[in-house]
Amino acid sequence: MTTGTPPPNRPRRSRARTLLPLGVAAWIVLEIWLLTVVAGAANGFTVLLILVGGAFLGAAVIKRAGRRAFRNLTETLQRMPGQSDASEAPASATSGSKGNGFLMLGGLLLMIPGLISDVLGLLLLVPPVRSLLGRYAERSLERRMRATTPGGLSDAFQQARIHRPDGKVVQGEVIREDTAPGSPRPDDGGQRPPLTP
């Protein structure tokens, strides 16, 4: 049975959603092909050693980066204003705090079986490469934040920071006074619960 209404227009699929699966499939095929070429040139045991060594090195890198991130988080929380042992000096970024995300990504790429991912993971372990990628990502993020339309996520974040710069949440309740002050409202029986638990 037809109702006479045209079918709804389906939203167009973005280019990234179309190309990403094809790119991943091509990457997997290339990785397998390179592993078979290396296995044919050397032997299968060499390929196995490369894959196991990459997995162990990647796990060690991720563990180290995780420890650095936890140490940086602990130091940041200790320097927060209002803490009893907080120093008066402003919190400056330590040299080890930069590039933890790229270090973890490098470890993850090392853990993924394949020669291309191992090479990319080893490149991310080089500090100048990490700092260069970090600067590029920072500039790209700033450009995107400036290009966002009003009313977006960045605007809401800025408004929240303007109204409450310390980020604390004040819990309470909104009381609407429709009746004259001092007279009890019919729905609460004249008693209000305290605001604090």
Side-chain angles (χ1 to χ4, degrees), residues 37-83:
V37 167
V38 171
N43 58 18
F45 186 69
T46 305
V47 171
L48 181 67
L49 282 178
I50 289 172
L51 295 178
V52 170
F56 278 116
L57 180 62
V61 167
I62 288 178
K63 184 177 180 181
R64 181 172 174 241
R67 283 183 179 167
R68 282 174 51 182
F70 185 73
R71 185 177 61 240
N72 291 337
L73 176 67
T74 305
E75 289 172 359
T76 302
L77 290 176
Q78 287 175 350
R79 286 183 291 202
M80 284 179 59
Q83 299 288 332

Side-chain angles (χ1 to χ4, degrees), residues 3 22 28 34-35 39 53-54 63 75 79 103 107 132 162 183:
T3 59
L22 294 174
I28 290 172
L34 278 174
L35 287 175
K63 184 177 180 181
E75 289 172 359
R79 286 183 291 202
L103 197 62
L132 180 70
I162 288 170
S183 62

Side-chain angles (χ1 to χ4, degrees), residues 26-27 43 49 139 185 196:
W27 175 54
N43 58 18
L49 282 178
R139 282 194 306 260
R185 288 179 25 183
T196 58

Side-chain angles (χ1 to χ4, degrees), residues 88-159:
E88 295 298 320
S92 62
T94 59
S95 61
S97 66
K98 296 273 187 185
N100 263 347
F102 287 118
L103 197 62
M104 285 188 175
L105 180 63
L108 182 65
L109 286 172
L110 283 170
M111 290 180 70
I112 294 173
L115 297 176
I116 297 173
S117 62
D118 286 349
V119 168
L120 292 175
L122 287 173
L123 278 175
L124 285 176
L125 295 185
V126 179
V129 173
R130 280 199 318 265
S131 65
L132 180 70
L133 285 174
R135 284 194 302 268
Y136 173 74
E138 197 172 316
R139 282 194 306 260
S140 174
L141 182 64
E142 285 176 2
R143 219 177 15 246
R144 286 180 183 227
M145 292 291 275
R146 274 187 260 130
T148 57
T149 59
L153 179 63
S154 64
D155 191 37
F157 181 71
Q158 287 296 333
Q159 289 296 323

